[in-house]
Amino acid sequence: MTHNERIERMLSSGTITERQAEMLRDSLSRGAGSVQAGPPRRRGHRWAVALGLVVFLAAAAWLILAGQGPDGVQDVSETLNQPGEIGAMNKNLSTVLAILILAILPLVLFVWLYNDLVSKEEKVFEAWAQTESNFQRRADLVPALVDTVSRYLKHERETLGEVTEARGRPVEALAEELDALIRAQKEAADLLREQTGRPPEQEALMDELASAERQMGLRLRAILATAEDYPELRSSDQFLQLQAQIEGTENRINVARMRFNEAVRSFNGAIRKLPGSLIAGLGNFQRKAYFQAEEGGGDAPDLDYE
């Protein structure tokens, strides 16, 4: 069952409001779009590789032609007893080779350093894509969790009557947490969509995105914790399955953030050190922002409530 079908079913059964349904549709569609937009690919290094190849071929051709006499074939017998001329020829050839090496070596070094920075930047994009994918995996669990909790709340309100009134405060708390989860999901999806498939390069934007994603995790924890007051809900097979999936997803997100920060550290260090800093300036390589967790948010949430 697709997300839209699930949302329509919840809306038609009255388990969620029209406003909640609209927020879910909007957040899930925006979140999916951000993941599908893959990281941009840098192609500016192709000219450097092509230029290096041209220079290499020209140098090879020059060396071949330089080794031939005027007629294309050297008469060895004429130079057997003339060591001075052989020494002069060898000296000239050595000079030519030295000049070629001095001319080609900087170009080869530039191409190698440039490609190394491209490789490190691609690893940053790849790590960010994995982080986005795990964010989307968590977002995909939201409709199923909303469906399960909303159906339970509707069932309790319709069938338990006086019991529900006696437990009105816990029921209201669970409903408020559910609405807060939907709002947090929409906010996180909006921020993620604005990045167009690439990590923010400004620390402020990355901090804002990290805060929104952390709020998503906190809202999920709050719902699971509040569900402790409802043994029937907590013991249902669907809820237990969702709890296990959420716990696994939070762990994956934590690992993905760590790998992303490692890739960023390697790239940022490379563009700050010489001679990489010179190449970074010529190639317009920009420093990447770290995905910093808020205080107390360095570890994945503990979602084991058994």
Side-chain angles (χ1 to χ4, degrees):
M1 179 181 295
T2 64
H3 294 318
N4 286 332
E5 292 174 348
R6 184 185 294 274
I7 293 172
E8 290 296 333
R9 189 185 69 176
M10 288 189 288
L11 183 61
S12 61
S13 63
T15 56
I16 62 174
T17 64
E18 179 65 37
R19 175 174 171 273
Q20 290 176 330
E22 183 63 29
M23 291 175 68
L24 279 174
R25 291 194 199 96
D26 185 59
S27 64
L28 291 172
S29 63
R30 295 181 182 212
S34 67
V35 174
Q36 294 172 358
R41 300 294 178 180
R42 184 183 294 273
R43 297 186 176 88
H45 67 287
R46 291 183 176 178
W47 67 267
V49 176
L51 180 59
L53 182 60
V54 170
V55 173
F56 176 78
L57 293 177
W62 187 11
L63 288 175
I64 294 174
L65 294 176
Q68 296 181 352
D71 299 326
V73 179
Q74 182 180 8
D75 187 357
V76 180
S77 62
E78 296 179 356
T79 59
L80 286 177
N81 298 319
Q82 301 176 15
E85 294 184 8
I86 295 178
M89 182 180 67
N90 291 336
K91 183 178 180 180
N92 292 335
L93 182 59
S94 299
T95 303
V96 171
L97 288 175
I99 294 174
L100 287 176
I101 291 174
L102 292 176
I104 295 176
L105 187 59
L107 179 61
V108 172
L109 182 61
F110 173 83
V111 172
W112 181 79
L113 291 173
Y114 190 98
N115 289 342
D116 183 61
L117 290 182
V118 170
S119 178
K120 284 182 169 59
E121 189 176 41
E122 288 297 323
K123 288 181 179 179
V124 173
F125 292 146
E126 179 184 2
W128 178 251
Q130 292 296 324
T131 305
E132 273 191 316
S133 177
N134 283 291
F135 286 154
Q136 185 60 36
R137 173 185 170 86
R138 181 172 63 183
D140 290 340
L141 295 174
V142 171
L145 184 62
V146 170
D147 188 12
T148 301
V149 177
S150 296
R151 285 181 179 278
Y152 177 81
L153 289 174
K154 182 181 180 183
H155 167 76
E156 183 159 302
R157 285 166 177 159
E158 291 178 350
T159 61
L160 299 185
E162 295 180 359
V163 177
T164 301
E165 293 180 3
R167 296 172 56 193
R169 184 174 180 180
V171 171
E172 186 63 27
L174 186 59
E176 290 177 357
E177 290 295 345
L178 195 65
D179 195 56
L181 172 63
I182 295 175
R183 291 196 303 268
Q185 161 61 17
K186 183 178 184 301
E187 179 182 355
D190 288 344
L191 290 173
L192 196 60
R193 183 181 64 89
E194 293 175 1
Q195 308 312 317
T196 62
R198 65 182 306 167
E201 295 180 348
Q202 290 78 24
E203 295 286 352
L205 294 178
M206 181 63 85
D207 290 343
E208 187 177 1
L209 178 59
S211 177
E213 291 295 339
R214 174 161 170 76
Q215 285 301 314
M216 264 287 293
L218 291 176
R219 296 278 70 81
L220 287 171
R221 288 187 67 186
I223 285 184
L224 296 178
T226 307
E228 288 292 293
D229 294 330
Y230 304 89
E232 182 181 349
L233 171 62
R234 183 171 58 87
S235 62
S236 67
D237 292 339
Q238 186 174 8
F239 188 83
L240 289 175
Q241 182 180 9
L242 286 171
Q243 179 177 316
Q245 291 178 343
I246 290 171
E247 179 182 3
T249 300
E250 292 297 328
N251 289 331
R252 289 187 181 93
I253 289 175
N254 190 44
V255 172
R257 284 196 304 247
M258 290 168 46
R259 291 178 177 173
F260 171 75
N261 283 341
E262 288 176 1
V264 169
R265 178 185 57 78
S266 177
F267 175 78
N268 287 346
I271 66 173
R272 291 185 62 188
K273 298 175 183 177
L274 289 171
S277 59
L278 301 177
I279 308 301
L282 295 174
N284 194 29
F285 290 92
Q286 300 295 325
R287 183 181 182 276
K288 311 301 181 186
Y290 289 94
F291 199 108
Q292 300 286 357
E294 296 179 3
E295 184 177 356
D299 300 324
D302 183 6
L303 299 177
D304 187 5
Y305 295 100
E306 296 182 0

